[in-house]
Amino acid sequence: MSPDAQAPRRNAWDLAMSAGFVLFAGYHVWTTAFGMPVAYLHRPIHLAFAVALGFLLYSARGQKRSQRAPVWDMALSLLALAGFGTAAWLAEPISERLAMVDPLSAWQLFCGGTIILLVLELIRRTVGWLLAAVAILFLAYAFLGPHMPGVLAHRGFGWKAIVDYQAYGLEGIYSSAVGVSSTYIVVFIIFGTFLEMSGAGEVLMDLGRALTGRYRGGPAKIAVLTSAFFGTISGSAAANVYATGSFTIPLMKRTGYSPVFAGAVEAAASTGGQLMPPIMGAAAFLMADILGIPYLKVCAAALIPSVLYFFSILMMVDFEAAKLGIKGLPKEELPDLRATLRRSVLLTPIVVLVGVMLAGYTPFMAAFMATASTLAASWCVPGKRMGLRQVIKALDTSGRRTVLIAVACAGAGLIIGVVTLTGVGLNISSLVITASGGNTALALVLIMVASILMGVGTPTTVAYIIVATLGVPALQNLGFEALPSHFFVFYFGVLSMITPPVAVASYAAAEVAGADMMRIGVTGTRLCFVAFLVPFLFMYEPALLMVGAPTKILLAFATALVGCVALAGALEGWYLGCIGPALRVLLFASALLMIFPGHRTDLFGFALLAAITLWRRSRRAAAAAQSPSNGEA
């Protein structure tokens, strides 16, 4: 009997839901291939699918349903169709009217107010109370402007004006956040899902195991590499933890790492996947769109910081393995590299993706063509061929995954709408400059904290949209360039995924590892400590973002790599053997001097590290001469 014959029969509700999600994803495949409607039509249709299906998929407790939705959620789903359907039906007259001047009909006001409330409720169910509360606070701020103190005061707006601005323009719910969700993000979710179901994810994991598994601390290095590979296309640090951590965390625990350290490695590496080009969880395309620069320039800027991030973690897990005496995996437990490379044809869609964009096509067209190439590549590997059933399943899964992102982007749109309506972004810039007394270093610290707080609990791309809306104007008013400013807030928005107390990647890792979330968060923050340094450095010296003369960029990169080795030794307490507090402080100083670009700092840092290395080697040699049988010191 075939596996399909043994599978339980799906009920009518399950089939109807699958049909809805296939239509949702299929609509975006069609519009990407044959041309997208105007924004006033396309964005309401996108949210009509997402919100209507979202109320049927998520219960009032925020849990995904496997059974028929209750009547009240069906009613909310129909209200969503009516509200967003009205905006789509009236797309042409709405695009021609004068916003907040031409009056809305009673039905239009009802529909506009309804979709705002529906989006807030669905945000609570899908993303959580935090983003919903922030959006509500911003909406309240739009009402209460005259009662706010100092620079936060504004003239205030009535509910009709707020509904008009938020629900019938391209600055509120349908702002750039939903614009990106309905073009770039959804197509890349579809691409990532097809890539995953073709078996490419397995190839990436096997490559990581084959390349690093036999070395000291191999299981942890497997986690770092596979999370870097997989994380760039997943778009979610928590999803990355579940996808790769279910294999890597038990393997790390079995070979001697503590549950806390194993979970922290996976959480840190999965978070870093969002910083890894070429896709960066789709944030690269959004950043390129906002800045008006080529996508490949964003990828180039992200390359050195992401390499430093993962190299630093690799060094830390290596030093931890040295302390604990953890060896690599035996050869029989590792996949054969040649066999894995024979299946690497499944990774050609990633090459197609970059190649099509190099040819000058839009990122979403490149994603569409890469998705098509995924189907072709799957037929080159026996047992991985994707037929009609697998294609429908991939579209169904893509539609389900898009709901959360689309709703979160709609919530970000509410925040963006209030910022543009009230001008609070400029007020926040004034507050930051006033609070810092004009000191740029202190201002960067304040914006770092704000970016981490604003990014908590939200998907990578949504976190970036929120922090860029509020943080970048302040940085530019302080005199910083646009590209470093966007990367600065993006980095710290992403690092909120692992930074306690609200750290979604750490929560996911704690669940898989069976360890305390807070301890995993603290350890994970230590593992990715270099990511807290690099953004400050490229704000003052953009060589780390590939800006400047090639020799300057190469020197900054090389010395920063050596600095990561010293940083790992300082934080792990191991450098050619266990070291005490004094040497850890010296190593930390050496690391800072080399990571910070500049000829003098590099020279002093390298000289200090060389002195420490020579002294440690002499101590090891002396210890070995006195007691050869004891091995290394």
Side-chain angles (χ1 to χ4, degrees):
M1 185 178 292
S2 68
D4 291 338
Q6 295 175 351
R9 295 186 62 182
R10 302 172 68 184
N11 58 42
W13 174 261
D14 192 22
L15 290 172
M17 288 291 291
S18 291
F21 289 115
V22 170
L23 283 174
F24 185 18
Y27 164 76
H28 288 287
V29 172
W30 178 269
T31 55
T32 302
F34 299 104
M36 293 182 185
V38 295
Y40 280 98
L41 176 60
H42 183 59
R43 296 178 189 182
I45 291 175
H46 175 70
L47 286 182
F49 272 115
V51 178
L53 290 169
F55 277 110
L56 302 179
L57 179 62
Y58 288 90
S59 70
R61 294 184 177 181
Q63 298 172 337
K64 286 187 177 181
R65 288 193 182 95
S66 57
Q67 302 297 324
R68 185 186 183 96
V71 174
W72 52 83
D73 279 345
M74 293 185 189
L76 293 177
S77 179
L78 290 174
L79 275 175
L81 287 176
F84 290 107
T86 296
W89 181 261
L90 300 175
E92 185 174 349
I94 286 173
S95 67
E96 295 173 352
R97 67 182 287 270
L98 294 175
M100 301 175 67
V101 175
D102 296 336
L104 296 171
S105 68
W107 173 252
Q108 289 171 331
L109 284 171
F110 170 76
C111 288
T114 298
I115 64 176
I116 291 173
L117 295 176
L118 290 174
V119 166
L120 288 172
E121 166 59 12
L122 197 54
I123 289 171
R124 182 194 67 81
R125 296 187 185 197
T126 56
V127 184
W129 268 110
L130 192 60
L131 181 58
V134 171
I136 291 170
L137 285 174
F138 270 81
L139 288 170
Y141 174 73
F143 281 105
L144 302 174
H147 307 288
M148 300 302 292
V151 295
L152 292 179
H154 62 86
R155 67 185 181 89
F157 298 89
W159 72 272
K160 289 184 180 180
I162 293 174
V163 168
D164 189 338
Y165 196 82
Q166 291 281 8
Y168 292 102
L170 297 182
E171 299 294 335
I173 290 178
Y174 306 122
S175 66
S176 59
V178 170
V180 171
S181 170
S182 61
T183 52
Y184 300 113
I185 297 177
V186 63
V187 180
F188 275 91
I189 288 174
I190 294 169
F191 168 56
T193 304
F194 272 76
L195 200 63
E196 178 185 334
M197 291 191 173
S198 72
E202 298 171 16
V203 175
L204 288 174
M205 291 191 68
D206 285 348
L207 274 176
R209 294 169 61 197
L211 291 173
T212 62
R214 62 191 178 94
Y215 296 107
R216 181 173 67 189
K221 293 173 182 175
I222 291 170
V224 175
L225 285 189
T226 56
S227 296
F229 294 152
F230 191 81
T232 189
I233 62 172
S234 74
S236 167
N240 196 13
V241 169
Y242 287 120
T244 60
S246 57
F247 162 76
T248 59
I249 290 176
L251 186 60
M252 283 187 276
K253 290 167 63 177
R254 180 162 61 85
T255 52
Y257 288 106
S258 70
V260 168
F261 192 84
V265 169
E266 182 58 47
S270 294
T271 299
Q274 313 303 295
L275 308 172
M276 174 66 72
I279 300 174
M280 297 162 59
F285 310 110
L286 175 57
M287 194 180 298
D289 188 62
I290 292 174
L291 290 170
I293 62 176
Y295 153 79
L296 292 176
K297 185 173 181 180
V298 175
C299 285
L303 184 59
I304 290 178
S306 62
V307 170
L308 294 177
Y309 183 99
F310 284 103
F311 180 73
S312 175
I313 296 177
L314 281 172
M315 292 308 304
M316 289 195 201
V317 299
D318 181 72
F319 288 171
E320 180 77 8
K323 283 196 302 184
L324 300 175
I326 297 174
K327 307 295 183 184
L329 293 173
K331 186 176 181 180
E332 56 270 17
E333 292 188 25
L334 298 175
D336 181 67
L337 183 57
R338 291 183 180 179
T340 301
L341 291 175
R342 283 195 293 270
R343 291 186 291 128
S344 64
V345 66
L346 294 172
L347 302 180
T348 54
I350 298 176
V351 179
V352 171
L353 175 75
V354 177
V356 172
M357 280 189 286
L358 283 172
Y361 289 87
T362 59
F364 42 87
M365 178 54 71
F368 171 78
M369 297 178 73
T371 303
S373 71
T374 303
L375 292 175
S378 72
W379 281 78
C380 298
V381 179
K384 297 297 182 182
R385 295 173 179 174
M386 296 185 70
L388 180 60
R389 187 183 297 273
Q390 287 75 27
V391 169
I392 291 174
K393 183 180 179 182
L395 290 173
D396 180 4
T397 303
S398 300
R400 293 172 189 269
R401 290 175 175 176
T402 304
V403 167
L404 185 148
I405 297 292
V407 172
C409 285
L414 289 172
I415 296 171
I416 292 170
V418 173
V419 170
T420 55
L421 180 63
T422 63
V424 68
L426 295 175
N427 294 339
I428 291 175
S429 298
S430 300
L431 281 175
V432 169
I433 294 171
T434 302
S436 64
N439 184 305
T440 57
L442 180 57
L444 288 175
V445 172
L446 293 175
I447 294 174
M448 175 195 75
V449 174
S451 297
I452 291 174
L453 292 175
M454 289 186 289
V456 296
T458 57
T460 301
T461 310
V462 180
Y464 166 62
I465 291 168
I466 295 173
V467 298
T469 301
L470 298 175
V472 169
L475 290 172
Q476 291 186 291
N477 284 342
L478 288 166
F480 293 108
E481 295 295 324
L483 181 63
S485 298
H486 277 268
F487 264 98
F488 185 88
V489 297
F490 171 60
Y491 254 67
F492 288 114
V494 169
L495 289 174
S496 67
M497 310 292 174
I498 195 171
T499 308
V502 183
V504 291
S506 298
Y507 272 110
E511 184 179 339
V512 177
D516 180 69
M517 172 268 163
M518 191 61 67
R519 292 179 63 196
I520 285 180
V522 171
T523 305
T525 301
R526 174 170 61 83
L527 288 172
C528 63
F529 185 78
V530 70
F532 288 86
L533 297 177
V534 169
F536 287 91
L537 306 182
F538 61 55
M539 292 302 287
Y540 293 103
E541 178 47 77
L544 292 176
L545 293 179
M546 294 275 199
V547 176
T551 53
K552 190 174 184 179
I553 293 170
L554 185 60
L555 182 62
F557 177 45
T559 54
L561 276 179
V562 179
C564 286
V565 177
L567 181 67
L571 295 177
E572 287 296 320
W574 194 97
Y575 187 72
L576 298 174
C578 290
I579 59 175
L583 272 185
R584 294 178 73 168
V585 170
L586 291 175
L587 275 176
F588 190 77
S590 169
L592 292 182
L593 288 169
M594 284 186 287
I595 294 174
F596 194 95
H599 297 302
R600 289 185 178 180
T601 56
D602 291 343
L603 185 60
F604 286 133
F606 190 79
L608 180 57
L609 180 63
I612 294 171
T613 303
L614 291 173
W615 187 74
R616 289 296 301 158
R617 286 189 180 280
S618 65
R619 290 290 304 272
R620 282 175 52 137
Q626 292 176 3
S627 182
S629 62
N630 288 340
E632 291 186 358

